[in-house]
Amino acid sequence: MKSINSGFFLFMLFLFMCLVYLGIAIDPFSQSHSLKTECMMKPPRSIAKQELILLSRSVEDDSDQEWEIDENGAIREMTQRIQLQKGNIYSFSAWVKLREENDKKVGVVFRSESGRLVHGGEVRAKQGCWSLLKGGIVPNASGPVDIFFKGEDREAKISAKNLSLKQFSKEEWKLRQDQLIEKIRKNKVRFEVTYKNNTAVKDAVISLNQTKPSFLLGCGMNFRILQSEGYRKWFAARFAITSFTNEMKWYRTEEVRGKENYTAADSMLKFAEENNILVRGHTVLWDDPRMQPSWVKNIKDPEDVMNVTLNRINSVMNRYKGKLTGWDVVNENVHWDYFEKILGVNASSRFYNLAYKLDPNVTLFVNEYNTIENPKEVTATPIKVKEKMEEILANQGNENIKGAIGAQGHFSPTQPNLPYMRSALDTLGSLGLPVWITELDMPTCPNQAKYMEEILREAYSHPAVEGIIIFGGPEVSGFDKLTLADKDFNNTETGDVIDKLLKEWQQINSQIPNIFTVDHENEEEDVSLLHGLYNVNVTHPQIKNLSTSLCLEVTKEMGPRQVVRVVIDA
Ligand SMILES: *[C@@H]1O[C@H](CO)[C@@H](O)[C@H](O)[C@H]1NC(C)=O
Ligand SMILES: *[C@@H]1O[C@H](CO)[C@@H](O)[C@H](O)[C@H]1NC(C)=O
Ligand SMILES: *[C@@H]1O[C@H](CO)[C@@H](O)[C@H](O)[C@H]1NC(C)=O
Ligand SMILES: *[C@@H]1O[C@H](CO)[C@@H](O)[C@H](O)[C@H]1NC(C)=O
Ligand SMILES: *[C@@H]1O[C@H](CO)[C@@H](O)[C@H](O)[C@H]1NC(C)=O
Ligand SMILES: *[C@@H]1O[C@H](CO)[C@@H](O)[C@H](O)[C@H]1NC(C)=O
Ligand SMILES: *[C@@H]1O[C@H](CO)[C@@H](O)[C@H](O)[C@H]1NC(C)=O
Ligand SMILES: *[C@@H]1O[C@H](CO)[C@@H](O)[C@H](O)[C@H]1NC(C)=O
Ligand SMILES: *[C@@H]1O[C@H](CO)[C@@H](O)[C@H](O)[C@H]1NC(C)=O
Ligand SMILES: *[C@@H]1O[C@H](CO)[C@@H](O)[C@H](O)[C@H]1NC(C)=O
Ligand SMILES: *[C@@H]1O[C@H](CO)[C@@H](O)[C@H](O)[C@H]1NC(C)=O
């Protein structure tokens, strides 16, 4: 039995490999199972998709043919390694169940010939019913891998069925993202411009401009924006939402006990308000012991710690009440427990409760790192972050909190594991609460622009994700990992990617001809519009005095198809 660095134990699964080109498997882009938290008595049937499936193992009968994977009990059928090709994306899925214990994590690990382990996903498995484990691998080298399951401890006895490993080229993966974007971020809209007598106004032109997109790609900012006109212009020309990296933090606003100084945060908020930029609050408290104001670290009396902490929450939340779109309340409270250690196990839940009472309308976030970006993470895994949110909401008085999950997204400068990220977002999204990527960045590396684009598209094409904030900026901002523009504010390659996506994710200045005919069902006349608010003008090249303006809101709630009728009084 091998023990690996994470403290997990591995169980070799001898695979019965068959290469089939058409098979039955779970679709990594399908939400039907992933947004459910419960496990299944019987894994549901899924529809076959015409995709390359490298491995597809199913058993008809639950009781006698499930695979038992335990320390001795590898499946004795046979073993053939699976050959992966660099440049492809592999999604993995399997239904798993525990035979003895209940409620333990089960993960999947890929081992390359060199012995390198890639963690590919995890699920909290139950005894007596099947849970869907999803994830995958984007190999950085071609070669064979073995697939393992890992339990939380040595004794874990795991059963698995319906294993599947699907291969996608990068192009196929992007195509699937785009199909999903079409479904989750857009509606079909049919415009009908008619005279009073119900005949179409031929040659009328409908001009559309999205004034407010509902999905926001924002950017963090810091105090240097107060000192640089160029930085301010650069920022305001692009972003509609921000958060301040440090300026609202306790160690900045109260460096000396009792001497609060909100000057920087207030000025930045003023700049944001003047430019219609929304602000996400970061952060009321931070559970990392190193990140307290130095004078707080020196307080010995827990009652005194409680007093100054309550004062901090009251002070910052009252000051910015009604001005922010959300608050990180106890930042990183899955990784850390500074307040819990001193003030008791429910300290975070109590602080969320106080935050809720102070500003009932503001969204309150759990905000963690490594959750979507690091498959090797053992502390703030998607399951644990989700459970932290559940624990907070379960606390008395917290039922009505507008909760949300922030996944920071500090990626490493290597090929991101997109199927893992997607499965992590599935888990976070299974609570039905909004998920935001809150601090997305990546150290400088030759492929930064490419990797960032892949990550951004993965997030945008996931239905649980409601917004993204990147932590980057022009050179003058000092965001030195994700530099988006040089000292003259000329874009870097990564800056070009951000500008491209900002443009793609907002519908600016489109014109459509009024091709409306009497056939209301003719879907070819529909246009596909991104969710958000629009300014619409109807004009006509000949009828000079025909000019109608209206506001249009395209939302998810309106269903997949909206009809807009404009009746011309002429
Ligand atoms: C599991 O395998 C069975 C038998 O092939 C199949 O009927 C079922 O649809 C599969 N389930 C999933 C979720 O792929
Ligand atoms: C693949 O990634 C691992 C971990 O980041 C690294 O150690 C290894 O050298 C990489 N291999 C190649 C061929 O780039
Ligand atoms: C409908 O009204 C318009 C403008 O008043 C007119 O040009 C058109 O001929 C009418 N069509 C019918 C079918 O009555
Ligand atoms: C619609 O017309 C108004 C007034 O002329 C103008 O300000 C606006 O930019 C136009 N909008 C579009 C989408 O063309
Ligand atoms: C469309 O909206 C963008 C941004 O909101 C604005 O800059 C542009 O002037 C608008 N165009 C028209 C024609 O209104
Ligand atoms: C408050 O903070 C601002 C900006 O960070 C600084 O310029 C100012 O000196 C501070 N005021 C006091 C009294 O420390
Ligand atoms: C904490 O605050 C309470 C109420 O304001 C006060 O009575 C108590 O003395 C304070 N405790 C400490 C240790 O300062
Ligand atoms: C919360 O928002 C609603 C509507 O958005 C408003 O009517 C209500 O007054 C707000 N409540 C508080 C406490 O600010
Ligand atoms: C913490 O909260 C849980 C759930 O509300 C409760 O059952 C438990 O007694 C609390 N523990 C303490 C030490 O307050
Ligand atoms: C930056 O762009 C400007 C034009 O916008 C150009 O004149 C200048 O040469 C560019 N600077 C560099 C360093 O590329
Ligand atoms: C628009 O112009 C037409 C003639 O081209 C005229 O019959 C009509 O009354 C005008 N409508 C308005 C609202 O001015």
Side-chain angles (χ1 to χ4, degrees), residues 180-192:
L180 209 47
I181 288 164
E182 208 47 45
K183 213 167 106 190
I184 63 174
R185 306 275 175 223
K186 297 180 181 183
N187 277 13
K188 295 275 190 247
V189 180
R190 172 185 174 82
F191 287 94
E192 300 182 352

Side-chain angles (χ1 to χ4, degrees), residues 292-335:
Q292 311 307 324
S294 53
W295 57 270
V296 172
K297 294 183 204 164
N298 294 328
I299 302 180
K300 296 284 180 297
D301 180 359
E303 188 186 317
D304 200 11
V305 172
M306 182 58 105
N307 280 1
V308 297
T309 304
L310 295 180
N311 181 63
R312 155 67 180 173
I313 303 173
N314 275 291
S315 167
V316 76
M317 290 210 57
N318 280 323
R319 186 174 198 90
Y320 298 122
K321 182 172 176 170
K323 296 182 172 166
L324 307 177
T325 63
W327 260 122
D328 294 329
V329 183
V330 187
N331 195 34
E332 298 173 0
N333 55 353
V334 180
H335 269 104

